[in-house]
Amino acid sequence: MASFIIEGGHLLQGTITPQGAKNEALQVICATLLTEDEVIIRNIPDIRDVNNLIQLLRDIGVKVRRLSANDYAFQADALNLNYLESDEFVQSCAELRGSVLMIGPLLARMGKAVIAKPGGDKIGRRRLDTHFLGFEKLGAKFNRIEDRNVYEITARQLKGSYMLLDEASVTGTANIIMAAVFAKGATTIYNAACEPYIQQLCHMLNQMGACISGVGSNLLTIEGVKQLHGTDHRILPDMIEVGSFIGMAAMCGDGIRIKDVSLKHLGIIPDAFRKLGVKIKTEGDDLFIPRQKHYEIQSFIDGTIMTLADAPWPGLTPDLLSVLIVVATQARGSVLFHQKMFESRLFFVDKLIDMGAQIILCDPHRAVVVGHDRKITLRGGRMSSPDIRAGIALLIAAMSANGTSHIDNIQQIDRGYEHIEERLNALGAKITRSE
């Protein structure tokens, strides 16, 4: 098992460019299954989850060509239908949560999909009901095969339908969109997720010949078409990585520029850090975070304690709460964090408490952070990364801490961050990977 050894206390300075968006990559790569034509996707991040998905597509017969470090061509003109029903394929899907996004395209194009319950972060229940309820609305039949622990979904001809999603699930919305592009008639999805990743998927599908309207809203209309053709698509910068770098710059930066962030797609992420007192300068499509000796948490207009809570887009993404909590540990003032969307994502704060942070974990969903105002520096320690986002938060905490820290289970971080130690060491960090 690989680990990071971090020598804390080094100030970081320079310029860093965010990778392509992980969550968008998983969606648009699966969308290449919807056509026999070649689809080119650019700015694909070189990370574990995405690379595993690309290999899974190769295994089922997709022709994959690497055009450059982050650009690929996909052509799904000869899928291996027998392999799609094999135990080997099911096992591969079980190890990769992104594989769930293959259901919609396979159901739309092949009329059948077999998939296991996918893996991923251990952050509480992440149910698939929204996906399956949406497929059933389109006329698919759903069956669980107990002895193989797999889900089998079949449909001779999907038919457009109106549906009100029980939750604004990002992957559920993406899956239903991809299934509906070939459905007969019109499909209306209300309470659809509207994250930039969903918008990008819709734009790509429209470039391929789909007919999707309402993009950017929570009410999507999809007019079914008979086939799609190839396209050339570029993935957005990863807004979660941008937020992670803002947090890193606040904690241990000596002036850091984050290049080409696609500012209009960041939503309220910069403002969430500003609420903690972090100064962020916008310069074109770059963000510059200057060195701050002190940053002070704001209060609400009526003087009550600041509360930061996650919510579906355009609310604050839950993927950045871990980083915001770490940043708050060295701010001046107190803040309540309310994690509403997942059950187990705040338990990592025990590791921050061991490092000297003043945090009260009220319950699995709420934590109060009392900032040190840099008067007490976090201390290095030994810890393990429980999931992707907590992992990067712990890495930021370790870089700002006194002494040396060890972070185990860093394959979790590798799932979401491309060559992270090399990129941070280029700014002045001291991070060593130990196998």
Side-chain angles (χ1 to χ4, degrees):
M1 182 180 293
S3 302
F4 279 148
I5 302 171
I6 305 102
E7 184 182 299
H10 296 279
L11 289 177
L12 279 57
Q13 187 179 59
T15 298
I16 193 165
T17 302
Q19 68 188 28
K22 167 185 178 280
N23 291 336
E24 180 187 341
L26 296 174
Q27 294 176 24
V28 298
I29 289 172
C30 288
T32 65
L33 294 169
L34 288 165
T35 179
E36 293 184 355
D37 293 350
E38 184 175 78
V39 177
I40 295 174
I41 302 179
R42 305 186 187 277
N43 201 30
I44 292 177
D46 183 12
I47 55 177
R48 186 177 174 188
D49 272 12
V50 170
N51 292 337
N52 286 345
L53 180 62
I54 292 173
Q55 184 56 51
L56 189 55
L57 262 63
R58 285 192 178 103
D59 292 341
I60 66 174
V62 177
K63 299 181 181 72
V64 180
R65 291 189 298 123
R66 192 171 189 176
L67 306 177
S68 64
N70 300 100
D71 300 344
Y72 287 78
F74 301 86
Q75 189 164 11
D77 59 348
L79 297 182
N80 185 342
L81 300 183
N82 291 329
Y83 184 78
L84 286 169
E85 297 186 27
S86 68
D87 289 337
E88 183 180 349
F89 173 70
V90 168
Q91 180 60 35
S92 297
C93 292
E95 296 171 357
L96 175 65
R97 182 162 186 85
S99 65
V100 73
L101 288 160
M102 297 171 64
I103 303 177
L106 291 174
L107 182 62
R109 187 171 161 198
M110 302 298 171
K112 184 177 183 180
V114 179
I115 200 161
K117 182 178 179 181
D121 290 324
K122 306 305 179 186
I123 53 177
R125 290 179 296 172
R126 301 174 76 180
R127 60 191 182 88
L128 300 176
D129 299 58
T130 304
H131 303 243
F132 296 131
L133 291 171
F135 296 145
E136 286 181 331
K137 283 283 189 178
L138 295 173
K141 301 295 183 183
F142 163 58
N143 182 42
R144 180 171 182 176
I145 304 174
E146 295 289 345
D147 58 341
R148 295 180 66 199
N149 193 28
V150 299
Y151 302 96
E152 183 181 71
I153 308 152
T154 58
R156 288 185 178 180
Q157 170 65 65
L158 295 174
K159 296 181 180 179
S161 173
Y162 169 86
M163 63 186 77
L164 173 60
L165 302 188
D166 61 335
E167 64 172 350
S169 164
V170 175
T171 54
T173 300
N175 237 340
I176 296 166
I177 290 170
M178 290 187 282
V181 292
F182 290 155
K184 187 177 181 179
T187 298
T188 302
I189 308 174
Y190 196 24
N191 194 30
C194 53
E195 272 80 351
Y197 311 133
I198 292 291
Q199 298 175 38
Q200 285 285 97
L201 173 65
C202 291
H203 291 319
M204 173 178 157
L205 291 172
N206 281 342
Q207 290 168 6
M208 295 169 68
C211 185
I212 306 171
S213 58
V215 179
S217 75
N218 68 348
L219 180 62
L220 296 174
T221 301
I222 304 147
E223 296 285 348
V225 297
K226 291 185 177 180
Q227 65 180 18
L228 298 180
H229 52 73
T231 191
D232 192 320
H233 176 80
R234 183 173 182 82
I235 292 173
L236 288 174
D238 194 313
M239 64 180 179
I240 310 303
E241 193 172 68
V242 172
S244 301
F245 292 154
I246 294 173
M248 175 192 70
M251 288 288 284
C252 48
D254 191 22
I256 290 179
R257 178 178 299 277
I258 310 172
K259 286 285 292 179
D260 302 327
V261 300
S262 190
L263 186 63
K264 67 179 182 179
H265 292 108
L266 293 182
I268 64 173
I269 288 172
D271 286 338
F273 286 94
R274 289 185 177 110
K275 288 178 180 179
L276 298 182
V278 178
K279 293 180 181 178
I280 303 173
K281 297 180 181 179
T282 301
E283 299 177 359
D285 208 27
D286 299 352
L287 297 179
F288 181 76
I289 298 87
R291 172 68 175 166
Q292 289 180 251
K293 289 185 178 180
H294 302 278
Y295 49 97
E296 184 170 357
I297 298 169
Q298 299 177 7
S299 58
F300 287 116
I301 293 174
D302 62 358
T304 54
I305 184 173
M306 174 58 61
T307 300
L308 291 176
D310 61 338
W313 186 269
L316 179 61
T317 171
D319 284 348
L320 279 175
L321 278 193
S322 302
V323 173
L324 287 160
I325 287 171
V326 169
V327 173
T329 65
Q330 292 302 314
R332 178 185 295 160
S334 301
V335 56
L336 169 66
F337 289 94
H338 193 169
Q339 167 62 266
K340 299 178 181 179
M341 296 174 67
F342 297 100
E343 297 171 331
S344 308
R345 226 168 188 173
L346 291 185
F347 290 141
F348 90 101
V349 302
D350 286 350
K351 301 172 177 63
L352 297 178
I353 294 170
D354 290 341
M355 296 176 76
Q358 292 186 312
I359 302 175
I360 302 167
L361 185 60
C362 307
D363 55 45
H365 293 277
R366 295 177 300 160
V368 174
V369 180
V370 181
H372 287 314
D373 192 21
R374 298 197 192 274
K375 294 176 181 177
I376 302 175
T377 305
L378 297 178
R379 56 182 176 267
R382 184 124 202 174
M383 59 204 89
S384 180
S385 172
D387 64 74
I388 300 175
R389 309 310 175 185
I392 198 68
L394 292 173
L395 181 59
I396 293 169
M399 286 192 294
S400 72
N402 282 330
T404 300
S405 297
H406 294 250
I407 302 179
D408 298 323
N409 197 32
I410 61 168
Q411 59 266 33
Q412 288 285 3
I413 301 174
D414 290 337
R415 289 177 51 216
Y417 293 85
E418 178 178 309
H419 312 304
I420 190 65
E421 76 275 22
E422 298 173 16
R423 297 160 71 201
L424 297 185
N425 285 342
L427 298 177
K430 301 293 182 183
I431 305 170
T432 304
R433 180 181 292 260
S434 173
E435 297 295 337

